[in-house]
Amino acid sequence: MSRAPANDGLRIDWGRLLRALEAHYAVGRWRRPLLRPHRGDPFQVLISTRLSYLARDEATARASKRLFEAYPTASKLAKARRPDVEARVRPVGMARRKAANVIAISRELGRRHGGVVPATLEELLDLPGVGRKTANAVLQFAYDVPAITVDGHLLRVCNRITGWGAKTAKEMEDRLARAVPELLWSKLNPVVVQHGQNLCRAKRPSCGVCPIAGSCARAGVE
Ligand code: SF4
């Protein structure tokens, strides 16, 4: 199978590539990105993304469901007892630290923002423990603001496609922001993450049946 050469990403037709992936995953039973069930609820997107740090997608989904059953809003979670939150988020690991963090975020939302999740990158980054991935996820999935949310799947898949060898999420975000038309930014995460969950897995990617193999440098893939 031929490989596309590693490149600056500007020669890739990102619109065509994303459409090919969307069409592929529109048919059949595939794993779906975690944030889709919480789309549109800024608080749940924010908290779910914080819980997802170094956790498997299934564990994050389970912990989020258990947490939001009892504490669906910032005002409710702000008043929660830590041991109960800790028990609910245990599937994601680092439960004690993550429980304390999501309670702290909820209290800050009440104290500084009237219980409402802010809609600017700067204000989001100012919340306790919130980094670029979480802030961009809130902008993108809750407020429909064009943003590039880089998680482990997106970093790995886009490095394989382009051969950039980006080491950090911020480096990948900057490169993609230069190479991909802004109109497509918000499509990148859901579509590419789904590809990372299914065919372009970390181990043994299924390049032989991949719908974008002709546009992919397959960098780092044996
Ligand atoms: S599955 Fe293979 S061909 Fe497809 S994007 Fe991943 S590395 Fe490229």
Side-chain angles (χ1 to χ4, degrees):
M1 187 193 314
S2 65
R3 296 174 188 234
N7 60 62
D8 59 8
L10 297 171
R11 274 171 283 156
I12 294 175
D13 183 340
W14 288 94
R16 205 167 125 207
L17 185 145
L18 293 174
R19 280 196 301 280
L21 290 175
E22 276 183 317
H24 186 79
Y25 291 111
V27 181
R29 289 167 61 89
W30 302 102
R31 293 180 63 202
R32 296 161 64 85
L34 166 75
L35 287 174
R36 288 187 188 172
H38 303 296
R39 238 190 142 96
D41 184 320
F43 172 70
Q44 296 196 3
V45 172
L46 170 61
I47 298 301
S48 251
T49 312
R50 281 302 295 137
L51 293 179
S52 72
Y53 179 65
L54 294 180
R56 293 180 61 79
D57 296 338
E58 298 78 8
T60 308
R62 212 160 59 246
S64 300
K65 184 167 179 290
R66 285 161 54 159
L67 184 67
F68 298 141
E69 274 167 4
Y71 309 108
T73 62
S75 59
K76 288 203 162 75
L77 187 53
K79 292 182 216 127
R81 287 174 54 251
R82 190 183 47 72
D84 184 52
V85 175
E86 194 177 322
R88 289 173 185 276
V89 304
R90 198 167 307 287
V92 290
M94 295 185 280
R96 192 182 172 90
R97 199 188 311 168
K98 287 183 180 179
N101 180 236
V102 295
I103 293 171
I105 289 174
S106 302
R107 288 181 181 160
E108 281 303 292
L109 287 175
R111 201 172 64 80
R112 285 196 257 158
H113 301 287
V116 176
V117 175
T120 69
L121 188 67
E122 295 69 27
E123 287 173 304
L124 286 162
L125 290 174
D126 219 22
L127 292 169
V130 172
R132 293 190 74 84
K133 173 185 148 188
T134 303
N136 279 324
V138 171
L139 293 178
Q140 168 175 2
F141 294 109
Y143 290 123
D144 278 332
V145 173
I148 300 173
T149 306
V150 180
D151 68 357
H153 287 300
L154 194 137
L155 183 65
R156 178 184 73 255
V157 176
C158 287
N159 269 331
R160 285 174 172 171
I161 293 171
T162 60
W164 286 337
K167 297 277 184 291
T168 64
K170 177 70 168 66
E171 185 185 345
M172 178 56 79
E173 184 186 331
D174 291 345
R175 278 181 172 270
L176 286 169
R178 284 196 294 274
V180 180
E182 188 176 323
L183 202 64
L184 300 174
W185 286 5
S186 294
K187 273 194 172 188
L188 268 170
N189 180 286
V191 175
V192 175
V193 167
Q194 188 166 30
H195 193 41
Q197 289 175 323
N198 291 283
L199 295 184
C200 196
R201 298 173 305 275
K203 290 181 186 159
R204 294 191 298 281
S206 303
C207 302
V209 293
C210 176
I212 58 168
S215 314
C216 178
R218 282 190 281 148
V221 176
E222 291 305 317

